[in-house]
């Protein structure tokens, strides 16, 4: 458990490590991160701010637009006494053909860590392989680990232990949030039912890894094409936008195919009466979710969004502070 303000007894398994996907870590690592985040949140609410990262700089590279990731990581660095350096890819020589590896080597001489929000997950892997400082995934086409860490914190705050919960993910499941949720469930021994059309099933390699890991953790992972089956008696219902950055050309086809997976009042009513709703945002009301659900009394999306900040503060302290 965390100690008094200014100290923490949480072990630091993250120091100087890359954070590219949930499966890079153990269940114990994830639990330690969540405990650190809860501690960070309690300190902030008491008005304590500590300069754990004084003199340290984080480069934040955005190849994709961002609201929550950018603001929460910037504020996290500032509140920890560090300096966030926000860079768009078109402001770097990356935009003129410099290799990812050369960019990584140069930035490693200037900054203490690099966050990248990008399209191809391979770009993150290349950056991390060449960098001498930790690289954090701010989102890629395959994984969004920091979002799911915030989701987990939100659920732990609301329910306490998660082991007995049924968690349902509904919609486009070939999705970075879904993939990170699958890995988290497999690590932590959770029950996760994913509902999607066949053509939007999760990445088969990620699903295969999760099934193998579930044999050790006791996780219950299931896929179904029936959203009603997934949501029935669920404690948590999660969805995400159907048209993500990079899939805009498929918009009409996606909206038509995924319409039966909308989280509306009828579908949500199949969950337990105490069930809660999560969405990583931005949301498209009237598409993947209705206003009555996302703005309703059982929606935790604003707590979920706030918890990005606390998770990011914990992550940055653990990764960058010796």
């Amino acid at each position: 458990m965390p100690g008094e303000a200014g100290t923490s007894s949480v072990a630091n398994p993250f120091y100087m490590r890359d954070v590219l996907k949930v499966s890079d870590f153990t269940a114990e690592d994830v639990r330690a991160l969540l405990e650190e985040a809860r501690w960070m949140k309690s300190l902030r609410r008491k008005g304590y701010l500590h300069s754990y990262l004084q003199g340290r700089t984080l480069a934040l590279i955005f190849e994709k637009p961002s609201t929550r990731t950018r603001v929460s990581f910037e504020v996290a660095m500032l509140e920890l006494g560090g300096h966030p350096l926000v860079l768009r890819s078109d402001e770097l020589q990356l935009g003129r053909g410099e290799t990812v590896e050369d960019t990584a080597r140069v930035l490693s001489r200037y900054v203490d860590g690099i966050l990248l929000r990008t399209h191809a997950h391979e770009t993150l892997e290349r950056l991390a392989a060449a960098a001498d400082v930790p690289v954090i995934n701010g989102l890629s086409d395959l994984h969004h680990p920091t979002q799911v860490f915030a989701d987990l914190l939100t659920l732990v705050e609301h329910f306490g232990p998660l082991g007995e919960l049924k968690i349902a993910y509904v919609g486009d499941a070939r999705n970075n949030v879904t993939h990170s949720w699958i890995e988290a469930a497999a690590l932590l021994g959770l029950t996760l039912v994913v509902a999607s059309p066949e053509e939007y099933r999760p990445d088969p390699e990620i699903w295969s890894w999760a099934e193998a890991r579930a044999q050790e953790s006791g996780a219950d992972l299931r896929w179904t094409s029936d959203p009603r089956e997934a949501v029935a008696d669920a404690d948590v219902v999660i969805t995400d936008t159907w048209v993500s950055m990079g899939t805009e050309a498929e918009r009409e086809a996606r909206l038509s195919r995924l319409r039966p997976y909308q989280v509306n009042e009828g579908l949500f009513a199949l969950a337990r009466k105490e069930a809660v709703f999560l969405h990583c945002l931005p949301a498209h009301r009237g598409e993947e979710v209705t206003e009555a659900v996302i703005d309703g009394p059982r929606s935790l999306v604003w707590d979920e969004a706030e918890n990005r900040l606390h998770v990011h503060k914990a992550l940055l302290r653990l990764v960058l502070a010796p």
Side-chain angles (χ1 to χ4, degrees):
M1 294 291 291
E4 297 178 356
T7 66
S8 172
S9 61
V10 174
N12 191 349
F14 287 82
Y15 181 54
M16 293 300 290
R17 291 176 65 179
D18 299 322
V19 183
L20 304 187
K21 57 186 189 297
V22 174
S23 58
D24 288 337
F25 300 97
T26 66
E28 291 71 25
D29 292 341
V30 175
R31 293 187 184 101
L33 173 63
L34 297 180
E35 189 64 25
E36 185 81 2
R38 294 181 74 177
W39 179 55
M40 285 287 185
K41 187 172 184 176
S42 70
L43 291 184
R44 189 178 197 257
R45 292 191 168 183
K46 293 174 183 176
Y48 293 122
L49 295 177
H50 296 284
S51 299
Y52 294 117
L53 300 183
Q54 184 173 3
R56 294 182 179 269
T57 300
L58 178 72
L60 301 100
I61 304 173
F62 290 94
E63 294 185 343
K64 287 185 171 185
S66 173
T67 299
R68 281 149 293 277
T69 299
R70 174 172 175 173
V71 174
S72 57
F73 267 106
E74 280 199 69
V75 173
M77 279 298 289
L78 290 169
E79 290 193 357
L80 292 172
H83 179 72
L85 181 63
V86 178
L87 304 165
R88 296 198 316 267
S89 58
D90 61 359
E91 296 174 325
L92 301 172
Q93 294 297 333
L94 271 171
R96 299 178 60 198
E98 183 172 63
T99 68
V100 171
E101 288 78 10
D102 285 355
T103 299
R105 295 181 186 110
V106 170
L107 289 180
S108 294
R109 302 295 181 102
Y110 299 146
V111 301
D112 301 287
I114 304 170
L115 177 135
L116 175 62
R117 184 178 175 93
T118 188
H119 296 274
H121 192 75
E122 178 192 7
T123 304
L124 272 160
E125 293 174 332
R126 290 172 58 194
L127 186 76
D132 294 325
V133 296
V135 171
I136 299 172
N137 180 358
L139 177 145
S140 72
D141 57 353
L142 281 182
H143 298 279
H144 200 353
T146 60
Q147 175 62 58
V148 171
F149 292 147
D151 292 358
L152 289 167
L153 175 60
T154 305
L155 295 181
V156 167
E157 288 178 330
H158 187 82
F159 289 107
L162 305 181
E164 301 302 316
L165 300 182
K166 177 185 177 182
I167 301 165
Y169 185 97
V170 180
D172 174 11
R174 189 167 289 238
N175 165 289
N176 46 27
V177 172
T178 322
H179 293 155
S180 290
W181 254 111
I182 290 167
E183 292 192 341
L187 279 179
L188 298 174
L190 307 181
T191 296
L192 175 66
V193 184
V194 178
S196 72
E198 176 71 34
E199 63 270 33
Y200 295 117
R201 289 185 70 156
D203 179 274
E205 289 188 15
I206 293 171
W207 189 262
S208 178
W209 176 89
E211 285 188 317
R213 185 65 184 83
Q215 297 297 314
E216 304 171 26
S217 69
D220 181 4
L221 303 176
R222 285 171 274 156
W223 173 87
T224 177
S225 61
D226 184 355
R228 297 174 65 86
E229 176 186 340
V231 173
D233 294 321
D235 300 281
V236 183
V237 179
I238 308 172
T239 193
D240 194 1
T241 179
W242 295 340
V243 186
S244 301
M245 289 175 283
T247 64
E248 292 85 355
E250 306 169 21
R251 177 177 175 78
E252 293 308 318
R254 283 174 166 268
L255 293 184
S256 175
R257 185 68 181 93
L258 289 162
R259 182 63 63 188
Y261 296 83
Q262 182 188 70
V263 182
N264 51 39
E265 300 92 310
L267 185 64
F268 197 45
L270 299 176
R272 294 183 182 275
K273 64 179 181 179
E274 305 87 3
V276 299
F277 174 75
L278 296 183
H279 190 307
C280 66
L281 302 176
H284 297 82
R285 290 167 169 79
E287 293 182 9
E288 73 274 7
V289 64
T290 59
E291 288 186 352
V293 174
I294 193 170
D295 296 326
R298 291 189 284 159
S299 172
L300 297 183
V301 297
W302 314 117
D303 293 339
E304 180 186 9
E306 178 192 340
N307 281 337
R308 295 286 300 276
L309 172 62
H310 308 302
V311 162
H312 295 168
K313 287 179 73 173
L315 188 64
L316 289 170
R317 193 178 92 87
L318 290 171
V319 168
L320 298 181

